[in-house]
Amino acid sequence: MAPVHPSTINFFDDAALNDTYVDSSTYYGNDLYTRSRTYSSAHLHGYNPQRRPQFDQDDIRRSRRLSHDEKSSAGPRRFLIDVDETIRLVLEQEDTDGDFQISITDSGPKVMSLGTATSNGFKSFDIRGTYMLSNLLQELALARDHGRKRIVLDEARLTENPVSRLSRMIRSSFWNSLTRRIDGDGLEIICADPKNRSGKLNPRIYVPHGETQMALYYRQVAIDKPHLRLEVEVLPAKCDDPHFVKSLNSRPGILALAMDEVDDGHGGKTLKGIPFIVPGARFNELYNWDSYFISLGLLVDGYIDMAKGMVEHFIFEIKHYGKILNGSRSYYLCRTQPPFLTDMALQIYNQLDRTKREDNRAWLKRAIQAAIKEYHTIWTAQPRIDPKTGLSRYRPDGLGIPPETEATHFTHILQPYADKHGLSVLEFSEKYNDGTLMEPGLDDYFLHDRAVRESGHDTTYRFEKRCANLATIDLNSLLYKYEVDIATAIRDVFDDTLELEETFPLSPFPPPPRAFADDVREYSTSRAQTSEEWFRRAALRKERIDKYLWNDAKNLYFDYDTVQEKQTLYESVTAFWTLWAGCASEEQCCKLVMHSLKKFEVIGGLVSGTEESRGKISLDRPNRQWDYPYAWPPHQIMAWVGLERYGYLDDAQRLAYRFLYMMTTAFVDFNGVVPEKFDAVKLSHLVDAEYGNQGIDFKYIPREGFGWMNSAYQVGLSFLTTHMRRAVAACTSPEVFFRGGTVVGAPPLPVHPTDPLGLAMQSLSVN
């Protein structure tokens, strides 16, 4: 008589499960058991014969290593595990600092015995080391997410190549966890704002002027879902007036984004939000330059429609909010961020289905038209344009104290003013924000602070109290790329003529200073755009960049102070953005690579600026997160692509190796962490600067990583050879892999300790 198994149990043949590394929803989503052994029903539904660790004065006594273990069989090893009980044991034994993660800073024995599946759990095998134990904790958490009480777990998921594991998690899990949509189904998640300090927590959505159907949709959502307590407000036509934007600070909300009209399932139509990716952690909204770098990772992973949808949102923002916003919250209405729309759109266009040529062309036309409007009305219009040099600056409008910062962020700035008026900082802040107290010096400070935030580099001593006056090398490189991209698209896709459909004033060209004082403007619909004009704009900008920003004696580009009319001599790695944009000559590129690259290259990649430029750090002058020794994904990716563009592939690969090595060692040693940024000198994600680090506060398993860091990994892997990938997976230090060499003739890099535990302990704060 055939054995009777519980009806809930599904068996599979060993050969049928070829992919051990499938997504967790597939791996843990069903009860699947191998036929290589017939398990008893009692075991499956209650009895767990796993041998627990024996404690004796906090030490685990073992027989001779492996003597108690099951002998290896021909097939892959699998473990029979009680999920909740094993989670409890792992945390009790290994998580000595109580953060629900297993890392090299935990002082547990780093060994645990698991019962093998082929022995019905009676024989066991040791799981050893931080990486396997942290992977075990992660896999158990995933199994519990899927409602599993007991599982058969492949050992291969615990020993998985860390490069493959991290790349797989980004591709199959992190992007999904970072996906948001603004509609009835997605509002509850997207309206949550960790930066909201107003005390008014009811979700609120602001709908653009003229979007009547959208306003009606959200009002119906508020009726249909009263538990949301959703408030819907329609913005005025000019929604970025500084006084109006400041008035919204007491009632912040999410800004409506693009939607598709879809069938409602009842013969009618309704609206549905277009999905997009958020950076993660405290940044739970659509961001501008984050989205560009995120889109690069999405394209590597095949999420073309997701990246395309994010461009749709940018087109929507330019149409309704006047610019691609810093972020899609009400307090960001006055400012934008570094412009990447043209390259983002062209990268996506090149991967669209070639059989839909006309649809693709129409989509790209909308994106290029939006970019042209943004170029003329934001980047080459006042107050951002400097009429004398013709170069552009980060210089947004705005009033008062930025409300999205942490409560104590400006205390050291506000305290002297509060003392002057005999008020507390809170009282002074309220009176300054409502205009009761006037402080021109503070107005000037916040003008530059808003500019720093628009630059994306908030904050850095590079921009301290002067950002709004600087024609920066990064911004003008990006605008050169805009001009070339627009010219190329008009020439190659639109038959060298592009009619603009929306009416707006064009910036004068060439731009003599007096032209900006003239109220008479040419308008966008008065003539067609041609590639010749845009190539001339690019050529003129390159000429101005060479004149004002290039320093031949120092072999580096610098920012130019348009008020003091001189270069600032802060050495920034954004000088290499000129290579990405293509505005450096071959000679300038050679000088950058041969003489300046070594200033920024450390063991973990490229730091934001040099230690000398940053200056000394003290209690009164603390670290800023966009200064030395911190490394960020945008700076890495821009340099990799730029170096490859000019033929310096070996340098690009070396830098990519360094950064991915740092990411991989953190992933291996710290429970799968993927943070916002790194200290690239200490190879540490334990950053104590300003906001600390994002993406590191999780339990059991990282769910999201961090948007642009995820992308840096996927993009970086495309630069590495197979040999390099294997070395990164083995956590082979760059000092070993490259044997200390950088560029020919350059001095060796400073040697820093690379022991992960030692570095981690150095980074920990001791109370």
Side-chain angles (χ1 to χ4, degrees), residues 550-582:
W550 173 251
N551 190 315
D552 199 56
K554 295 184 180 294
N555 302 300
L556 197 64
Y557 291 95
F558 293 92
D559 303 328
Y560 182 81
D561 191 317
T562 60
V563 173
Q564 296 188 10
E565 298 188 343
K566 65 178 183 180
Q567 287 183 351
T568 64
L569 296 183
Y570 184 105
E571 296 171 317
S572 170
V573 77
T574 58
F576 289 86
W577 290 23
T578 56
L579 306 186
W580 176 88

Side-chain angles (χ1 to χ4, degrees), residues 165-435:
R165 183 177 178 86
L166 176 50
S167 183
R168 175 177 63 80
M169 290 174 72
I170 292 169
R171 183 176 59 255
S172 63
S173 177
F174 290 179
W175 293 135
N176 183 61
S177 296
L178 291 170
T179 299
R180 303 288 186 272
R181 238 179 42 225
I182 303 182
D183 57 20
D185 295 328
L187 272 171
E188 197 158 1
I189 296 175
I190 194 66
C191 283
D193 184 8
K195 301 181 296 305
N196 180 7
R197 296 189 285 109
S198 69
K200 297 182 179 179
L201 301 180
N202 279 10
R204 180 181 291 102
I205 187 165
Y206 288 101
V207 180
H209 176 81
E211 285 288 342
T212 305
Q213 185 182 4
M214 194 176 286
L216 291 173
Y217 169 83
Y218 285 116
R219 286 178 177 137
Q220 188 61 48
V221 170
I223 294 171
D224 294 343
K225 299 186 175 185
H227 66 280
L228 290 179
R229 297 184 295 171
L230 178 67
E231 299 176 16
V232 182
E233 295 190 33
V234 177
L235 293 168
K238 183 169 176 51
C239 60
D240 59 352
D241 175 78
H243 292 279
F244 172 73
V245 174
K246 188 179 72 169
S247 74
L248 301 182
N249 289 347
S250 61
R251 53 184 205 282
I254 194 75
L255 298 172
L257 293 175
M259 305 182 82
D260 283 330
E261 189 174 63
V262 299
D263 294 332
D264 64 3
H266 305 287
K269 297 289 185 180
T270 188
L271 296 177
K272 185 176 182 179
I274 298 174
F276 58 92
I277 304 291
V278 299
R282 70 193 294 265
F283 304 110
N284 187 39
E285 50 272 324
L286 180 73
Y287 277 81
N288 184 338
W289 77 318
D290 291 73
S291 294
Y292 169 72
F293 293 101
I294 287 170
S295 73
L296 298 181
L298 291 174
L299 292 178
V300 170
D301 287 336
Y303 293 99
I304 298 170
D305 287 342
M306 181 71 76
K308 186 180 177 185
M310 293 164 80
V311 170
E312 288 290 347
H313 290 310
F314 287 168
I315 295 170
F316 182 92
E317 287 189 338
I318 291 171
K319 177 181 178 180
H320 291 291
Y321 305 127
K323 61 186 75 66
I324 300 176
L325 298 173
N326 183 157
S328 57
R329 300 275 177 189
S330 55
Y331 41 75
Y332 290 136
L333 277 165
C334 282
R335 62 178 198 255
T336 178
Q337 272 190 328
F340 284 94
L341 176 57
T342 58
D343 190 76
M344 185 176 178
L346 287 170
Q347 294 265 11
I348 296 165
Y349 176 77
N350 286 330
Q351 294 200 31
L352 295 177
D353 184 351
R354 298 298 175 88
T355 65
K356 300 178 179 178
R357 182 176 180 275
E358 289 306 313
D359 290 344
N360 300 344
R361 191 171 179 271
W363 176 82
L364 182 63
K365 181 179 179 180
R366 293 174 53 242
I368 295 298
Q369 285 177 328
I372 291 173
K373 178 185 177 183
E374 182 197 37
Y375 174 91
H376 282 289
T377 61
I378 299 297
W379 295 116
T380 58
Q382 290 183 320
R384 290 175 178 84
I385 190 72
D386 174 50
K388 187 168 184 179
T389 63
L391 297 173
S392 299
R393 306 166 294 187
Y394 297 113
R395 198 178 177 93
D397 291 323
L399 293 170
I401 303 169
E404 77 276 11
T405 57
E406 293 182 337
T408 59
H409 186 77
F410 294 111
T411 298
H412 66 294
I413 298 297
L414 299 174
Q415 190 66 61
Y417 293 95
D419 294 343
K420 171 184 171 182
H421 292 280
L423 300 170
S424 69
V425 169
L426 180 60
E427 291 169 331
F428 172 79
S429 298
E430 291 175 351
K431 291 182 179 295
Y432 173 72
N433 275 335
D434 66 21

